[in-house]
Amino acid sequence: MWHLGCVLVPGWRTGLVLAVAMTLSMAHAPRASACQCLFEGAVYPAADADGVPRDTVLVTRTDGSGAAVLRDAAGQEVPLEVVVQGEHSMVGVEVLRPVAPLEPLSTYTLTLMGSWPDERSFTTGEGFAAGALPAPALGEVVPQVGAKPMAPEAEWSYSSCDVFQDERLHRIALPQEPVPDEVLFQVVELRVGGEAAPSQRRILLRGEWDQPHALGHQLCLSRAPQFAAGAEVCATVRSYDAAGNGSTASAEVCSQAAGCTLTVGAGSGPGFACAPVGPSEDPGAPAGCGAGGGAGLAGGWLLALLAWFGRRRG
């Protein structure tokens, strides 16, 4: 079960806006400021980019409600194929590329349709993206899960961007060697709880590994799936360059998920600090994102309804 004091509010050209339902939660103790993730539908290439490789990929955020269309300067549609799809934050990520190399020194326009429309142009260079990439050096997998403390809300604090799954926060650290500059994104495949084959696929976008590699519990970033303390979590990682060329996958690494105690102090902080207490100890928890769950969810539905009316009027 998901408990979110945060709702998706589809935007217009600004893309994806994720807002916290604050309207009916004012009676609760003060916490961090409202969570907002200002996403554009298109991720790569950047708007008005110059010198883009002729074999470039197109990285887009999608909820499956629309399509991506690439057109040349004459308005002719360019055929596209799917490289890979995966999950990221509250939406999916789809990586596309032209079936044939683009023309050199030419301008193209990428248009996204659906809940989060976007449009941007870019200009190609004369060259192509890099070739083979080394397999990621995944040293270990560190899965952790912690439940919300059974303390009065006034005695602790958490970020309004934290997402509780089944009353808990989850994260998986994926420490690696430095990633080559040619890597545009990585795909993480996960097996959880003894699954025979990977059932979860997450996409890590460049910029998300300026900090240590991890799948976390933050609304705006690539998130960890749900798992219980003591469950085995296994991961492999594959790197991709700007042309969609994939490396070989890292060796699969597995570890048992540690049950943790959330030890967040006053103030916003980084979300939570997790001190392992062993897989047999999985603290129970009351309500999720905003301990007055009913009011938080009601506020979320109100904002969602307002967003729907906004789209209808636009």
mmCIF file of all heavy atoms in Angstrom, residues 260-313:
data_model
loop_
_atom_site.group_PDB
_atom_site.id
_atom_site.type_symbol
_atom_site.label_atom_id
_atom_site.label_comp_id
_atom_site.label_asym_id
_atom_site.label_seq_id
_atom_site.Cartn_x
_atom_site.Cartn_y
_atom_site.Cartn_z
ATOM 1 N N CYS A 260 16.055 -1.436 9.854
ATOM 2 C CA CYS A 260 16.719 -0.246 10.386
ATOM 3 C C CYS A 260 15.777 0.555 11.263
ATOM 4 O O CYS A 260 14.555 0.415 11.190
ATOM 5 C CB CYS A 260 17.209 0.655 9.248
ATOM 6 S SG CYS A 260 18.348 -0.156 8.113
ATOM 7 N N THR A 261 16.373 1.386 12.074
ATOM 8 C CA THR A 261 15.625 2.344 12.867
ATOM 9 C C THR A 261 15.796 3.729 12.253
ATOM 10 O O THR A 261 16.929 4.164 12.030
ATOM 11 C CB THR A 261 16.133 2.371 14.317
ATOM 12 O OG1 THR A 261 15.964 1.073 14.885
ATOM 13 C CG2 THR A 261 15.344 3.386 15.138
ATOM 14 N N LEU A 262 14.706 4.393 11.944
ATOM 15 C CA LEU A 262 14.804 5.749 11.428
ATOM 16 C C LEU A 262 15.131 6.688 12.582
ATOM 17 O O LEU A 262 14.438 6.706 13.589
ATOM 18 C CB LEU A 262 13.488 6.163 10.770
ATOM 19 C CG LEU A 262 13.033 5.280 9.600
ATOM 20 C CD1 LEU A 262 11.788 5.866 8.961
ATOM 21 C CD2 LEU A 262 14.128 5.108 8.574
ATOM 22 N N THR A 263 16.164 7.453 12.402
ATOM 23 C CA THR A 263 16.647 8.298 13.503
ATOM 24 C C THR A 263 16.703 9.753 13.091
ATOM 25 O O THR A 263 17.675 10.453 13.331
ATOM 26 C CB THR A 263 18.043 7.836 13.956
ATOM 27 O OG1 THR A 263 18.929 7.852 12.816
ATOM 28 C CG2 THR A 263 17.990 6.435 14.520
ATOM 29 N N VAL A 264 15.666 10.222 12.429
ATOM 30 C CA VAL A 264 15.641 11.597 11.952
ATOM 31 C C VAL A 264 15.429 12.542 13.121
ATOM 32 O O VAL A 264 14.547 12.345 13.950
ATOM 33 C CB VAL A 264 14.526 11.790 10.915
ATOM 34 C CG1 VAL A 264 14.535 13.210 10.385
ATOM 35 C CG2 VAL A 264 14.703 10.806 9.781
ATOM 36 N N GLY A 265 16.239 13.593 13.183
ATOM 37 C CA GLY A 265 16.071 14.605 14.218
ATOM 38 C C GLY A 265 15.242 15.762 13.718
ATOM 39 O O GLY A 265 14.658 15.713 12.634
ATOM 40 N N ALA A 266 15.196 16.819 14.491
ATOM 41 C CA ALA A 266 14.427 17.998 14.101
ATOM 42 C C ALA A 266 15.047 18.641 12.868
ATOM 43 O O ALA A 266 16.248 18.604 12.661
ATOM 44 C CB ALA A 266 14.401 18.997 15.249
ATOM 45 N N GLY A 267 14.214 19.249 12.053
ATOM 46 C CA GLY A 267 14.693 19.882 10.828
ATOM 47 C C GLY A 267 14.460 18.984 9.633
ATOM 48 O O GLY A 267 14.068 17.828 9.759
ATOM 49 N N SER A 268 14.726 19.510 8.457
ATOM 50 C CA SER A 268 14.436 18.747 7.241
ATOM 51 C C SER A 268 15.436 17.626 7.043
ATOM 52 O O SER A 268 15.074 16.486 6.807
ATOM 53 C CB SER A 268 14.422 19.682 6.031
ATOM 54 O OG SER A 268 15.668 20.347 5.909
ATOM 55 N N GLY A 269 16.744 17.915 7.120
ATOM 56 C CA GLY A 269 17.758 16.877 6.975
ATOM 57 C C GLY A 269 17.709 16.215 5.616
ATOM 58 O O GLY A 269 17.020 16.642 4.698
ATOM 59 N N PRO A 270 18.442 15.104 5.464
ATOM 60 C CA PRO A 270 18.497 14.401 4.189
ATOM 61 C C PRO A 270 17.361 13.412 3.999
ATOM 62 O O PRO A 270 17.330 12.693 3.018
ATOM 63 C CB PRO A 270 19.836 13.660 4.284
ATOM 64 C CG PRO A 270 19.987 13.370 5.737
ATOM 65 C CD PRO A 270 19.375 14.569 6.442
ATOM 66 N N GLY A 271 16.424 13.324 4.927
ATOM 67 C CA GLY A 271 15.349 12.350 4.832
ATOM 68 C C GLY A 271 15.354 11.463 6.052
ATOM 69 O O GLY A 271 14.490 11.547 6.890
ATOM 70 N N PHE A 272 16.369 10.560 6.170
ATOM 71 C CA PHE A 272 16.508 9.773 7.380
ATOM 72 C C PHE A 272 17.917 9.234 7.475
ATOM 73 O O PHE A 272 18.611 9.085 6.485
ATOM 74 C CB PHE A 272 15.470 8.653 7.454
ATOM 75 C CG PHE A 272 15.742 7.467 6.549
ATOM 76 C CD1 PHE A 272 16.405 6.352 7.038
ATOM 77 C CD2 PHE A 272 15.313 7.461 5.234
ATOM 78 C CE1 PHE A 272 16.636 5.254 6.232
ATOM 79 C CE2 PHE A 272 15.543 6.376 4.409
ATOM 80 C CZ PHE A 272 16.207 5.256 4.908
ATOM 81 N N ALA A 273 18.333 8.957 8.689
ATOM 82 C CA ALA A 273 19.595 8.276 8.927
ATOM 83 C C ALA A 273 19.256 6.884 9.416
ATOM 84 O O ALA A 273 18.424 6.713 10.301
ATOM 85 C CB ALA A 273 20.415 9.033 9.973
ATOM 86 N N CYS A 274 19.894 5.869 8.848
ATOM 87 C CA CYS A 274 19.489 4.497 9.089
ATOM 88 C C CYS A 274 20.596 3.751 9.809
ATOM 89 O O CYS A 274 21.702 3.638 9.296
ATOM 90 C CB CYS A 274 19.192 3.828 7.755
ATOM 91 S SG CYS A 274 18.289 2.293 7.899
ATOM 92 N N ALA A 275 20.305 3.267 11.007
ATOM 93 C CA ALA A 275 21.263 2.487 11.776
ATOM 94 C C ALA A 275 20.801 1.036 11.770
ATOM 95 O O ALA A 275 19.769 0.714 12.358
ATOM 96 C CB ALA A 275 21.345 3.017 13.201
ATOM 97 N N PRO A 276 21.529 0.124 11.083
ATOM 98 C CA PRO A 276 21.076 -1.271 10.994
ATOM 99 C C PRO A 276 20.885 -1.893 12.374
ATOM 100 O O PRO A 276 21.707 -1.724 13.256
ATOM 101 C CB PRO A 276 22.202 -1.956 10.221
ATOM 102 C CG PRO A 276 22.854 -0.856 9.441
ATOM 103 C CD PRO A 276 22.759 0.362 10.329
ATOM 104 N N VAL A 277 19.781 -2.639 12.531
ATOM 105 C CA VAL A 277 19.528 -3.333 13.784
ATOM 106 C C VAL A 277 19.288 -4.814 13.548
ATOM 107 O O VAL A 277 18.900 -5.532 14.455
ATOM 108 C CB VAL A 277 18.305 -2.725 14.516
ATOM 109 C CG1 VAL A 277 18.585 -1.306 14.929
ATOM 110 C CG2 VAL A 277 17.058 -2.777 13.636
ATOM 111 N N GLY A 278 19.542 -5.281 12.319
ATOM 112 C CA GLY A 278 19.428 -6.702 12.035
ATOM 113 C C GLY A 278 18.148 -7.054 11.323
ATOM 114 O O GLY A 278 17.112 -6.433 11.530
ATOM 115 N N PRO A 279 18.176 -8.111 10.472
ATOM 116 C CA PRO A 279 17.007 -8.460 9.647
ATOM 117 C C PRO A 279 15.828 -8.967 10.446
ATOM 118 O O PRO A 279 14.716 -8.965 9.953
ATOM 119 C CB PRO A 279 17.560 -9.557 8.726
ATOM 120 C CG PRO A 279 18.750 -10.110 9.446
ATOM 121 C CD PRO A 279 19.338 -8.942 10.194
ATOM 122 N N SER A 280 16.031 -9.405 11.697
ATOM 123 C CA SER A 280 14.905 -9.911 12.462
ATOM 124 C C SER A 280 14.101 -8.808 13.120
ATOM 125 O O SER A 280 13.010 -9.039 13.622
ATOM 126 C CB SER A 280 15.405 -10.876 13.541
ATOM 127 O OG SER A 280 16.255 -10.203 14.455
ATOM 128 N N GLU A 281 14.656 -7.585 13.147
ATOM 129 C CA GLU A 281 13.978 -6.477 13.800
ATOM 130 C C GLU A 281 13.466 -5.508 12.743
ATOM 131 O O GLU A 281 14.234 -4.866 12.064
ATOM 132 C CB GLU A 281 14.943 -5.751 14.736
ATOM 133 C CG GLU A 281 15.514 -6.646 15.825
ATOM 134 C CD GLU A 281 16.464 -5.892 16.724
ATOM 135 O OE1 GLU A 281 16.094 -4.815 17.219
ATOM 136 O OE2 GLU A 281 17.586 -6.370 16.923
ATOM 137 N N ASP A 282 12.167 -5.418 12.615
ATOM 138 C CA ASP A 282 11.550 -4.558 11.612
ATOM 139 C C ASP A 282 10.497 -3.724 12.314
ATOM 140 O O ASP A 282 9.352 -4.133 12.429
ATOM 141 C CB ASP A 282 10.922 -5.412 10.509
ATOM 142 C CG ASP A 282 10.478 -4.570 9.333
ATOM 143 O OD1 ASP A 282 10.825 -3.379 9.296
ATOM 144 O OD2 ASP A 282 9.786 -5.110 8.453
ATOM 145 N N PRO A 283 10.874 -2.559 12.856
ATOM 146 C CA PRO A 283 9.952 -1.790 13.700
ATOM 147 C C PRO A 283 8.628 -1.515 13.005
ATOM 148 O O PRO A 283 8.572 -1.220 11.827
ATOM 149 C CB PRO A 283 10.720 -0.484 13.954
ATOM 150 C CG PRO A 283 12.150 -0.835 13.714
ATOM 151 C CD PRO A 283 12.150 -1.891 12.650
ATOM 152 N N GLY A 284 7.547 -1.599 13.760
ATOM 153 C CA GLY A 284 6.242 -1.284 13.216
ATOM 154 C C GLY A 284 6.086 0.205 13.030
ATOM 155 O O GLY A 284 6.911 0.995 13.454
ATOM 156 N N ALA A 285 4.996 0.610 12.374
ATOM 157 C CA ALA A 285 4.833 2.029 12.082
ATOM 158 C C ALA A 285 3.372 2.394 12.023
ATOM 159 O O ALA A 285 2.540 1.598 11.620
ATOM 160 C CB ALA A 285 5.489 2.356 10.749
ATOM 161 N N PRO A 286 3.053 3.619 12.408
ATOM 162 C CA PRO A 286 1.705 4.124 12.148
ATOM 163 C C PRO A 286 1.600 4.611 10.726
ATOM 164 O O PRO A 286 2.230 4.086 9.832
ATOM 165 C CB PRO A 286 1.573 5.257 13.174
ATOM 166 C CG PRO A 286 2.973 5.725 13.362
ATOM 167 C CD PRO A 286 3.856 4.513 13.188
ATOM 168 N N ALA A 287 0.841 5.695 10.511
ATOM 169 C CA ALA A 287 0.561 6.151 9.144
ATOM 170 C C ALA A 287 1.807 6.618 8.437
ATOM 171 O O ALA A 287 2.837 6.852 9.038
ATOM 172 C CB ALA A 287 -0.468 7.278 9.187
ATOM 173 N N GLY A 288 1.686 6.791 7.103
ATOM 174 C CA GLY A 288 2.831 7.136 6.274
ATOM 175 C C GLY A 288 3.085 8.618 6.182
ATOM 176 O O GLY A 288 3.140 9.311 7.176
ATOM 177 N N CYS A 289 3.172 9.156 4.944
ATOM 178 C CA CYS A 289 3.696 10.506 4.696
ATOM 179 C C CYS A 289 2.769 11.560 5.269
ATOM 180 O O CYS A 289 1.897 12.086 4.596
ATOM 181 C CB CYS A 289 3.882 10.706 3.190
ATOM 182 S SG CYS A 289 4.737 12.209 2.737
ATOM 183 N N GLY A 290 2.953 11.893 6.562
ATOM 184 C CA GLY A 290 2.053 12.816 7.258
ATOM 185 C C GLY A 290 1.157 11.990 8.154
ATOM 186 O O GLY A 290 0.186 11.398 7.714
ATOM 187 N N ALA A 291 1.498 11.897 9.437
ATOM 188 C CA ALA A 291 0.911 10.902 10.324
ATOM 189 C C ALA A 291 -0.579 11.049 10.503
ATOM 190 O O ALA A 291 -1.173 10.341 11.277
ATOM 191 C CB ALA A 291 1.592 10.962 11.682
ATOM 192 N N GLY A 292 -1.243 11.931 9.865
ATOM 193 C CA GLY A 292 -2.701 11.983 9.879
ATOM 194 C C GLY A 292 -3.204 11.520 8.554
ATOM 195 O O GLY A 292 -3.939 12.225 7.904
ATOM 196 N N GLY A 293 -2.803 10.296 8.120
ATOM 197 C CA GLY A 293 -2.961 9.800 6.773
ATOM 198 C C GLY A 293 -4.217 10.233 6.064
ATOM 199 O O GLY A 293 -4.188 10.573 4.895
ATOM 200 N N GLY A 294 -5.377 10.197 6.733
ATOM 201 C CA GLY A 294 -6.622 10.537 6.040
ATOM 202 C C GLY A 294 -6.618 11.940 5.513
ATOM 203 O O GLY A 294 -6.984 12.207 4.377
ATOM 204 N N ALA A 295 -6.180 12.910 6.336
ATOM 205 C CA ALA A 295 -6.199 14.306 5.903
ATOM 206 C C ALA A 295 -5.209 14.532 4.784
ATOM 207 O O ALA A 295 -5.487 15.240 3.825
ATOM 208 C CB ALA A 295 -5.858 15.207 7.088
ATOM 209 N N GLY A 296 -3.996 13.894 4.893
ATOM 210 C CA GLY A 296 -2.991 14.085 3.841
ATOM 211 C C GLY A 296 -3.492 13.576 2.509
ATOM 212 O O GLY A 296 -3.324 14.201 1.468
ATOM 213 N N LEU A 297 -4.141 12.397 2.534
ATOM 214 C CA LEU A 297 -4.635 11.846 1.277
ATOM 215 C C LEU A 297 -5.782 12.674 0.727
ATOM 216 O O LEU A 297 -5.909 12.874 -0.474
ATOM 217 C CB LEU A 297 -5.092 10.403 1.510
ATOM 218 C CG LEU A 297 -3.954 9.389 1.687
ATOM 219 C CD1 LEU A 297 -4.544 8.016 2.020
ATOM 220 C CD2 LEU A 297 -3.105 9.313 0.438
ATOM 221 N N ALA A 298 -6.635 13.195 1.611
ATOM 222 C CA ALA A 298 -7.730 14.037 1.129
ATOM 223 C C ALA A 298 -7.188 15.272 0.447
ATOM 224 O O ALA A 298 -7.682 15.698 -0.602
ATOM 225 C CB ALA A 298 -8.630 14.424 2.311
ATOM 226 N N GLY A 299 -6.131 15.871 1.052
ATOM 227 C CA GLY A 299 -5.526 17.033 0.412
ATOM 228 C C GLY A 299 -4.949 16.680 -0.939
ATOM 229 O O GLY A 299 -5.012 17.460 -1.886
ATOM 230 N N GLY A 300 -4.370 15.465 -1.032
ATOM 231 C CA GLY A 300 -3.813 15.026 -2.309
ATOM 232 C C GLY A 300 -4.882 14.921 -3.378
ATOM 233 O O GLY A 300 -4.688 15.336 -4.520
ATOM 234 N N TRP A 301 -6.028 14.321 -3.004
ATOM 235 C CA TRP A 301 -7.113 14.224 -3.979
ATOM 236 C C TRP A 301 -7.600 15.604 -4.409
ATOM 237 O O TRP A 301 -7.953 15.821 -5.575
ATOM 238 C CB TRP A 301 -8.276 13.428 -3.383
ATOM 239 C CG TRP A 301 -8.038 11.955 -3.388
ATOM 240 C CD1 TRP A 301 -7.811 11.126 -2.329
ATOM 241 C CD2 TRP A 301 -7.961 11.122 -4.550
ATOM 242 N NE1 TRP A 301 -7.596 9.843 -2.758
ATOM 243 C CE2 TRP A 301 -7.702 9.805 -4.109
ATOM 244 C CE3 TRP A 301 -8.097 11.357 -5.922
ATOM 245 C CZ2 TRP A 301 -7.565 8.741 -4.989
ATOM 246 C CZ3 TRP A 301 -7.957 10.303 -6.799
ATOM 247 C CH2 TRP A 301 -7.696 9.008 -6.330
ATOM 248 N N LEU A 302 -7.621 16.575 -3.508
ATOM 249 C CA LEU A 302 -8.053 17.917 -3.862
ATOM 250 C C LEU A 302 -7.121 18.538 -4.885
ATOM 251 O O LEU A 302 -7.578 19.094 -5.896
ATOM 252 C CB LEU A 302 -8.105 18.791 -2.593
ATOM 253 C CG LEU A 302 -8.476 20.274 -2.812
ATOM 254 C CD1 LEU A 302 -9.862 20.380 -3.436
ATOM 255 C CD2 LEU A 302 -8.428 21.021 -1.491
ATOM 256 N N LEU A 303 -5.811 18.427 -4.669
ATOM 257 C CA LEU A 303 -4.864 18.986 -5.631
ATOM 258 C C LEU A 303 -4.947 18.270 -6.969
ATOM 259 O O LEU A 303 -4.824 18.886 -8.033
ATOM 260 C CB LEU A 303 -3.448 18.902 -5.079
ATOM 261 C CG LEU A 303 -3.073 19.976 -4.046
ATOM 262 C CD1 LEU A 303 -1.628 19.792 -3.612
ATOM 263 C CD2 LEU A 303 -3.265 21.363 -4.616
ATOM 264 N N ALA A 304 -5.129 16.936 -6.926
ATOM 265 C CA ALA A 304 -5.253 16.199 -8.176
ATOM 266 C C ALA A 304 -6.462 16.670 -8.969
ATOM 267 O O ALA A 304 -6.424 16.814 -10.193
ATOM 268 C CB ALA A 304 -5.343 14.698 -7.880
ATOM 269 N N LEU A 305 -7.587 16.923 -8.264
ATOM 270 C CA LEU A 305 -8.786 17.403 -8.940
ATOM 271 C C LEU A 305 -8.565 18.772 -9.546
ATOM 272 O O LEU A 305 -8.958 19.044 -10.693
ATOM 273 C CB LEU A 305 -9.940 17.444 -7.936
ATOM 274 C CG LEU A 305 -11.330 17.820 -8.496
ATOM 275 C CD1 LEU A 305 -11.778 16.808 -9.532
ATOM 276 C CD2 LEU A 305 -12.346 17.920 -7.361
ATOM 277 N N LEU A 306 -7.887 19.670 -8.807
ATOM 278 C CA LEU A 306 -7.587 20.998 -9.347
ATOM 279 C C LEU A 306 -6.692 20.904 -10.571
ATOM 280 O O LEU A 306 -6.877 21.625 -11.555
ATOM 281 C CB LEU A 306 -6.914 21.857 -8.262
ATOM 282 C CG LEU A 306 -7.823 22.275 -7.085
ATOM 283 C CD1 LEU A 306 -6.994 22.989 -6.029
ATOM 284 C CD2 LEU A 306 -8.959 23.149 -7.559
ATOM 285 N N ALA A 307 -5.709 19.985 -10.524
ATOM 286 C CA ALA A 307 -4.829 19.826 -11.682
ATOM 287 C C ALA A 307 -5.605 19.353 -12.895
ATOM 288 O O ALA A 307 -5.374 19.777 -14.021
ATOM 289 C CB ALA A 307 -3.704 18.842 -11.341
ATOM 290 N N TRP A 308 -6.599 18.420 -12.660
ATOM 291 C CA TRP A 308 -7.396 17.913 -13.769
ATOM 292 C C TRP A 308 -8.202 19.024 -14.400
ATOM 293 O O TRP A 308 -8.252 19.162 -15.630
ATOM 294 C CB TRP A 308 -8.307 16.806 -13.250
ATOM 295 C CG TRP A 308 -9.146 16.178 -14.320
ATOM 296 C CD1 TRP A 308 -8.800 15.220 -15.205
ATOM 297 C CD2 TRP A 308 -10.515 16.491 -14.617
ATOM 298 N NE1 TRP A 308 -9.833 14.914 -16.031
ATOM 299 C CE2 TRP A 308 -10.906 15.669 -15.701
ATOM 300 C CE3 TRP A 308 -11.439 17.374 -14.072
ATOM 301 C CZ2 TRP A 308 -12.188 15.712 -16.237
ATOM 302 C CZ3 TRP A 308 -12.711 17.421 -14.624
ATOM 303 C CH2 TRP A 308 -13.091 16.588 -15.686
ATOM 304 N N PHE A 309 -8.822 19.895 -13.562
ATOM 305 C CA PHE A 309 -9.566 21.018 -14.118
ATOM 306 C C PHE A 309 -8.644 21.958 -14.874
ATOM 307 O O PHE A 309 -9.025 22.529 -15.905
ATOM 308 C CB PHE A 309 -10.281 21.763 -12.987
ATOM 309 C CG PHE A 309 -11.599 21.151 -12.598
ATOM 310 C CD1 PHE A 309 -11.795 20.645 -11.331
ATOM 311 C CD2 PHE A 309 -12.645 21.060 -13.505
ATOM 312 C CE1 PHE A 309 -12.997 20.068 -10.972
ATOM 313 C CE2 PHE A 309 -13.858 20.485 -13.159
ATOM 314 C CZ PHE A 309 -14.042 19.976 -11.882
ATOM 315 N N GLY A 310 -7.395 22.122 -14.391
ATOM 316 C CA GLY A 310 -6.447 23.001 -15.087
ATOM 317 C C GLY A 310 -6.149 22.494 -16.482
ATOM 318 O O GLY A 310 -6.079 23.253 -17.445
ATOM 319 N N ARG A 311 -5.987 21.172 -16.603
ATOM 320 C CA ARG A 311 -5.726 20.597 -17.936
ATOM 321 C C ARG A 311 -6.925 20.759 -18.849
ATOM 322 O O ARG A 311 -6.805 21.018 -20.049
ATOM 323 C CB ARG A 311 -5.359 19.127 -17.795
ATOM 324 C CG ARG A 311 -4.005 18.880 -17.178
ATOM 325 C CD ARG A 311 -3.457 17.501 -17.539
ATOM 326 N NE ARG A 311 -4.406 16.448 -17.234
ATOM 327 C CZ ARG A 311 -4.497 15.856 -16.060
ATOM 328 N NH1 ARG A 311 -3.699 16.232 -15.091
ATOM 329 N NH2 ARG A 311 -5.364 14.893 -15.850
ATOM 330 N N ARG A 312 -8.129 20.577 -18.264
ATOM 331 C CA ARG A 312 -9.335 20.711 -19.090
ATOM 332 C C ARG A 312 -9.469 22.123 -19.638
ATOM 333 O O ARG A 312 -9.822 22.325 -20.800
ATOM 334 C CB ARG A 312 -10.576 20.380 -18.250
ATOM 335 C CG ARG A 312 -10.612 18.933 -17.756
ATOM 336 C CD ARG A 312 -11.168 18.010 -18.777
ATOM 337 N NE ARG A 312 -12.580 18.287 -19.065
ATOM 338 C CZ ARG A 312 -13.314 17.551 -19.871
ATOM 339 N NH1 ARG A 312 -12.776 16.527 -20.511
ATOM 340 N NH2 ARG A 312 -14.588 17.849 -20.087
ATOM 341 N N ARG A 313 -9.142 23.129 -18.815
ATOM 342 C CA ARG A 313 -9.269 24.512 -19.256
ATOM 343 C C ARG A 313 -8.174 24.879 -20.242
ATOM 344 O O ARG A 313 -8.324 25.718 -21.093
ATOM 345 C CB ARG A 313 -9.221 25.431 -18.053
ATOM 346 C CG ARG A 313 -10.417 25.273 -17.115
ATOM 347 C CD ARG A 313 -10.311 26.205 -15.934
ATOM 348 N NE ARG A 313 -10.333 27.610 -16.381
ATOM 349 C CZ ARG A 313 -10.171 28.634 -15.582
ATOM 350 N NH1 ARG A 313 -9.945 28.427 -14.289
ATOM 351 N NH2 ARG A 313 -10.220 29.859 -16.056
#
